[in-house]
Amino acid sequence: MAESHPPTRSRIPGSGLAKGLAVTLRTMTRKTVTAQYPDTQPELPPRTRGVIGLFEENCTVCMLCARECPDWCIYIDSHKETVPPAAPGGRERSRNVLDRFAIDFSLCMYCGICIEVCPFDALFWSPEFEYAETDIHELTHERDKLREWMWTVPAPPALDPGAEEPKEIAAARKTADKLAAEQNARAGDTPPSGPREDPS
């Protein structure tokens, strides 16, 4: 028994061409919205992942970012230094000193794991994206370049009105207030400097 097929509609010859030309005409009559880069800089979203900036003062060379990086594109070198005791009679301590911090952006896949795992807030996302090079070997950027990108990192979003002040800011404010109080106390103990009046 032969299978029955549904009747096929007869196509008008040239209908596909007419539809294509209609799309072309619609596109031709619209105003173009091409941004003339680099004359016009793009408006980037606030959380754009451009490059990674390094705030090396916070880096303790814990190597956590390099160990967690799935691409192994972070290179860190360091050496140990002996720190004298903080108080007399104390013992000397050793600390790691950063010698090299480099990221190979030809390998980096911008996953952000290194920034998330850094316990000391030494790595940040910068929206900077204009860092193309003619040679792929020059895409390994050292810590001086990573430090420059720190200045393009946007400020963090404001806290909610009812949120507690971050502990770091509270500690910094407490230290600043203490130093200001000590300076004011010293200024009150010392006689004012300036030209003395002649008693005669």
Side-chain angles (χ1 to χ4, degrees), residues 107-176:
L107 295 176
C108 179
M109 63 180 186
Y110 306 92
C111 63
I113 292 175
C114 57
I115 296 171
E116 291 174 14
V117 300
C118 179
F120 301 104
D121 289 336
L123 297 172
F124 295 88
W125 278 120
S126 164
E128 185 68 36
F129 64 94
E130 297 173 312
Y131 59 97
E133 301 288 348
T134 55
D135 186 2
I136 195 171
H137 297 98
E138 294 176 6
L139 281 172
T140 301
H141 293 294
E142 301 291 332
R143 67 179 181 174
D144 296 334
K145 188 68 176 174
L146 301 178
R147 173 67 183 212
E148 287 177 21
W149 284 328
M150 265 307 296
W151 306 117
T152 63
V153 173
L159 295 174
D160 293 334
E164 292 182 8
E165 188 177 42
K167 294 176 184 176
E168 296 87 356
I169 295 177
R173 181 174 287 113
K174 185 177 179 183
T175 305

Side-chain angles (χ1 to χ4, degrees), residues 2-199:
E3 294 181 5
S4 61
H5 295 286
T8 56
R9 283 185 288 173
S10 59
R11 295 182 61 191
I12 302 170
S15 62
L17 179 63
K19 286 181 182 177
L21 288 173
V23 171
T24 304
L25 287 171
R26 253 196 329 265
T27 307
M28 287 174 61
T29 55
R30 288 182 187 162
K31 186 178 179 182
T32 58
V33 291
T34 303
Q36 301 300 323
Y37 177 82
D39 299 329
T40 305
Q41 290 292 319
E43 292 183 10
L44 300 173
R47 296 180 66 186
T48 299
R49 294 185 175 189
V51 289
I52 298 168
L54 170 69
F55 189 55
E56 60 183 276
E57 283 81 0
N58 286 359
C59 182
T60 60
V61 200
C62 65
M63 305 291 287
L64 202 55
C65 55
R67 284 199 304 265
E68 295 295 329
C69 177
D71 292 332
W72 292 79
C73 65
I74 300 176
Y75 310 110
I76 300 175
D77 291 328
S78 66
H79 69 278
K80 287 191 178 291
E81 276 186 4
T82 304
V83 180
R91 74 183 175 131
E92 295 181 340
R93 294 174 296 129
S94 65
R95 68 182 179 97
N96 289 326
V97 178
L98 185 67
D99 291 329
R100 182 189 184 212
F101 194 107
I103 299 177
D104 187 352
F105 284 100
S106 66
L107 295 176
C108 179
M109 63 180 186
Y110 306 92
C111 63
I113 292 175
C114 57
I115 296 171
E116 291 174 14
V117 300
C118 179
F120 301 104
D121 289 336
L123 297 172
F124 295 88
W125 278 120
S126 164
E128 185 68 36
F129 64 94
E130 297 173 312
Y131 59 97
E133 301 288 348
T134 55
D135 186 2
I136 195 171
H137 297 98
E138 294 176 6
L139 281 172
T140 301
H141 293 294
E142 301 291 332
R143 67 179 181 174
D144 296 334
K145 188 68 176 174
L146 301 178
R147 173 67 183 212
E148 287 177 21
W149 284 328
M150 265 307 296
W151 306 117
T152 63
V153 173
L159 295 174
D160 293 334
E164 292 182 8
E165 188 177 42
K167 294 176 184 176
E168 296 87 356
I169 295 177
R173 181 174 287 113
K174 185 177 179 183
T175 305
D177 291 344
K178 185 178 177 183
L179 290 173
E182 289 176 2
Q183 288 177 352
N184 290 339
R186 275 193 231 120
D189 294 341
T190 56
S193 60
R196 294 184 180 177
E197 294 182 1
D198 191 1

